Amino acid sequence: MKMSMLHCPTLKEAPKEAEVQSHRLLIRAGYMRKLAAGIYDFLPLGIRTLSKIKQIIREELDRAGAQEVLLPAVQPSELWMESGRWEQYGPELLRFKDRKGTMFCLGPTHEEVIVDLVRRDVRSYRQLPLNLYQIQTKFRDEIRPRAGLMRGREFIMKDAYSFDVDDDKARESYRKMHDAYHNIFRRCGLEFRAVDADPGNIGGTLSQEFQVLADTGEDSIVSCPACSYTANIEKAELVPPPPPSEVYEGNLEKIFTPNRRTVADVTDFLRIPATSLAKTLFFVADGKPVAALIRGDHELNEIKLKNALAATTVYLADDASVVDWTGAPSGFVGPVGLSGNVTLLVDPCVAAMPQCVTGANELDQHFVGVVPGRDFPLNRVVDLRLAKEGDPCPKCREPMAFFRGIEVGHIFFLGTKYSIPMKCTYLDERGNENPMVMGCYGIGVTRVMAAAVEQHNDDRGIRWPTPIAPFQVHLITLGTNDDDVVAASDMLYQKLLAQRVEVLLDDRDERPGAKLKDADLIGLPIQVICGKKSLEQGGVEVRTRVNGESRVVSLIQAADVIRAAVVESMAQWSNT
Ligand code: ATP
Ligand code: MG
């Protein structure tokens, strides 16, 4: 490809709203443009990188025995009603009517559609196992689209679904996909971890996320440096504290705490550490009031709360509801004497306090000397808090480390969550009807592209891992009005094409400085500079983008040397 023909509008400045490197660089280097919040156009270079990511995915999934299909983006509401998700999914699901008034949605994921496809045509155990995947545009009306491709509203996903006769076989399918995902992300040049995760909206029992390590990631991951335990912070199991070491026999006492609402206000006022206070947070879970009690220095994990309640929607209660339920505004509420209508969940760290300070359910009043189990019930003690730095590993008790990650893939063992309600069954050898056992497996294709840029860039631009670079070699002609230079670079260009090297020739009539800047910004792994100076030195300069190393190679040898460099840099990311 010649750059004079390529639609690659590079920019000096990134858009103001771009908060992360991948967003800034993909716009500046002419890979994409924004159409609306979370919705992007992909330009020719962007398409080439996406195609390469898709190709790697296809090769690895085909190798794992999966087959490609393409399902519609527009999905009828009836299917979502059958699975029960039409109600559950919330405003991320974009719903609309057709001209006859029939309700549809734009697919945020495809469990319903694939189950419907499979239940119609697969009837016998002989047709199983089956693993179908697609690479397609999804729409989720995300509340906060951010960071360019990282969290878009329209984005490209690979989703796969496995169908098996029983749990054991389904676990085998899950394991195969787990291994295929390792190969895919390695080949895309990513440094990643597979971490235990919460199944969220999709459901099921076992799930892992593939997290790319990057400071700009939205997810927090805990990882034990001593053993292999790694989990999303939402999921991280915590070691329960030992029971209280002493028994407090003093009385409960009400004290005046004027205007002291926050943990910091109250603990400063009473001169106690935050570990001596228990804070009470009120939620509405599927329409019902819930109080969650955690230690003053801890943070609540809403995912754990939601799972403990087996609720579909959980949100923080507003002030009016809190006053209604307790008689006091938030800041002065607590578990003592709470109405029986409110479900009280207590974190084990609170249950293990010999005594604590809580709100007194009265304006400007707190209780001190509150004894868990004596002054409020401990019927439901459940882990509710977020892991924090230094928490011991649930497996080996060493302190866990934290890092940030970008979730590029997520695999779920679904079991019969969809196959039972949607009657996706098969006949076994004896002619009995059984539900199929399912798994589902997603990869954010556009997010992989952004994650790769997050991990591979410097202050000059992108530094693509070779397997997903739009081209492998950037051949830059410096001095397009010098016949010798043009002849030499044309000859080398033709030779590289003949050797099947993917080469982008910068034949534009631009200043050398501008061309070299664009090359660094676009980020192809091997740069070849052909100019008057390099020819005087005996040939062309071959530079590696990742470390800036360069050498002059004679024109005669150049094509072979460049091809060998491409092969070598591809090998670095291969699976073998
Ligand atoms: P997240 O927690 O980031 O919202 P999710 O759990 O909703 O992700 P899945 O439903 O598992 O995501 O979707 C599969 C994959 O699709 C994710 O692992 C991620 O890589 C990608 N993905 C999900 N939402 C988005 C989005 N809004 N923009 C880009 N990619 C996304
Ligand atoms: Mg999501």
Side-chain angles (χ1 to χ4, degrees), residues 406-428:
I406 302 167
E407 180 199 316
V408 287
H410 199 166
I411 60 179
F412 305 79
F413 181 85
L414 289 175
T416 54
K417 173 172 160 105
Y418 295 89
S419 47
I420 288 183
M422 296 187 68
K423 302 195 180 57
C424 182
T425 61
Y426 70 95
L427 297 176
D428 66 18

Side-chain angles (χ1 to χ4, degrees), residues 280-332:
T280 314
L281 303 166
F282 282 87
F283 292 87
V284 182
D286 292 344
K288 300 207 186 80
V290 171
L293 202 57
I294 56 170
R295 218 166 66 185
D297 59 323
H298 288 157
E299 273 181 69
L300 186 103
N301 180 337
E302 279 196 37
I303 305 271
K304 285 185 180 171
L305 178 69
K306 195 170 161 187
N307 290 341
L309 294 163
T312 36
T313 61
V314 174
Y315 56 88
L316 208 58
D318 58 21
D319 281 343
S321 308
V322 174
V323 174
D324 198 28
W325 299 330
T326 65
S330 54
F332 301 101

Side-chain angles (χ1 to χ4, degrees), residues 89 92 140 142 151 201 407 447:
Y89 215 92
E92 251 182 48
R140 295 182 181 181
E142 299 274 358
R151 185 166 297 283
N201 249 342
E407 180 199 316
R447 199 185 270 183

